[in-house]
Amino acid sequence: MPGIVQRLSFDQTETEARGHPGLFAPKRLVHTALAAILDLVFPPRCTGCGRVDTIWCDRCQRELELIPPPRHVQPLPPLSGMASTGVHDGKIQQAIWSLKYENARALAEPLGERLAAYFAGLTWPVDLIAPVPMHASRLAERGYNQAHLLAEQLAQQAGLPCAPEAVRRWRFTPSQVGLGRAERLENVRDAFEANPLLVQNRTVLLVDDVYTTGATLSTCAEALLQAGATAVYGLTVSVARQ
Ligand SMILES: [Zn+2]
């Protein structure tokens, strides 16, 4: 009876926590002290060039700002428009990798700035910014959704509302890495569900880190339109070389 076993062990953990309310405070202290010691022994290094004491240095930031956008990104229907701030290469690629896989959440800021600077030059009539959602189990594993961090940065700088609940990924989909466009479309089919209360009669801008084949963004856009969105645009930090 695995259900009962699970429930029992959960209750037990709760009781232990309630019985020793002070237990977690020293634990936190130990973690903070440990992080400080680790910083001394292994100081943070710039994701872009390896320079010590910062995860993203000024020189890499200047280089990031100078990267030209790709000439054109073909939107997959039903997206009304698609744009990306650069080709998935060099500094952009390194920064996204760290944001995604190395817990370097602070990198959402320079990448979000890039999104905002690029978005300011577009004439899309956007009402609402929504991140491409992550399935709850992957979110629990990673602790954050990088697309959400990027969307928040962009929304803040563009003065638009960010609605992380606008669309959710209710079906778990295996990683898309290594799959072609048709396989990706099949992989994410019906994986998303949008909230009509948030998106009805609104033009939504979907934000993600990388645009590879467009399967995820177009499937997300479909869910948003089904929920009553007027139109859906897509903006990503980078686009895979096509
Ligand atoms: Zn650097």
Side-chain angles (χ1 to χ4, degrees):
M1 301 263 258
I4 287 179
V5 172
Q6 262 170 18
R7 207 159 46 238
L8 275 178
S9 58
F10 174 72
D11 286 343
Q12 197 181 16
T13 316
E14 268 218 325
T15 313
E16 276 171 12
R18 274 200 299 271
H20 307 276
L23 243 185
F24 294 109
K27 227 181 194 175
R28 242 198 327 268
L29 271 180
V30 169
H31 275 161
T32 315
L34 203 66
I37 293 166
L38 278 173
D39 269 1
L40 276 178
V41 184
F42 305 104
R45 280 177 178 276
C46 173
T47 289
C49 66
R51 196 161 303 179
V52 179
D53 273 343
T54 177
I55 61 157
W56 192 247
C57 76
D58 291 347
R59 199 151 76 179
C60 287
Q61 176 59 20
R62 276 195 298 278
E63 275 184 54
L64 184 72
E65 284 163 14
L66 290 173
I67 295 170
R71 254 179 247 136
H72 183 65
V73 186
Q74 182 68 40
L76 260 195
L79 284 169
S80 296
M82 176 64 218
S84 198
T85 80
V87 169
H88 196 61
D89 205 359
K91 295 285 173 209
I92 292 189
Q93 186 178 13
Q94 289 165 341
I96 290 176
W97 176 268
S98 290
L99 168 67
K100 239 172 141 161
Y101 300 114
E102 290 178 330
N103 201 25
R105 303 178 201 199
L107 285 177
E109 203 180 317
L111 294 174
E113 272 168 24
R114 220 184 134 78
L115 286 174
Y118 192 73
F119 178 69
L122 300 168
T123 51
W124 295 344
V126 172
D127 300 313
L128 194 71
I129 294 177
V132 167
M134 196 177 255
H135 188 265
S137 63
R138 186 158 289 154
L139 188 64
E141 195 182 295
R142 191 172 292 174
Y144 60 101
N145 172 6
Q146 72 280 356
H148 182 186
L149 301 182
L150 292 167
E152 255 177 2
Q153 288 288 336
L154 170 62
Q156 232 172 54
Q157 293 186 42
L160 284 165
C162 178
E165 310 295 327
V167 51
R168 71 183 184 103
R169 194 186 289 247
W170 65 272
R171 186 164 68 76
F172 184 81
T173 50
S175 167
Q176 303 265 73
V177 177
L179 300 181
R181 178 179 284 188
E183 291 166 303
R184 280 174 182 242
L185 273 172
E186 184 54 36
N187 191 28
V188 291
R189 197 163 51 91
D190 298 331
F192 302 102
E193 188 180 60
N195 184 344
L197 292 174
L198 294 172
V199 305
Q200 211 157 41
N201 301 322
R202 302 242 162 90
T203 297
V204 182
L205 176 66
L206 274 171
V207 170
D208 207 357
D209 48 358
V210 190
Y211 182 93
T212 310
T213 64
T216 302
L217 275 177
S218 69
T219 314
C220 246
E222 225 162 75
L224 284 162
L225 291 169
Q226 264 169 25
T230 315
V232 184
Y233 292 83
L235 178 64
T236 62
V237 178
S238 73
V239 58
R241 214 177 270 286
Q242 283 161 335

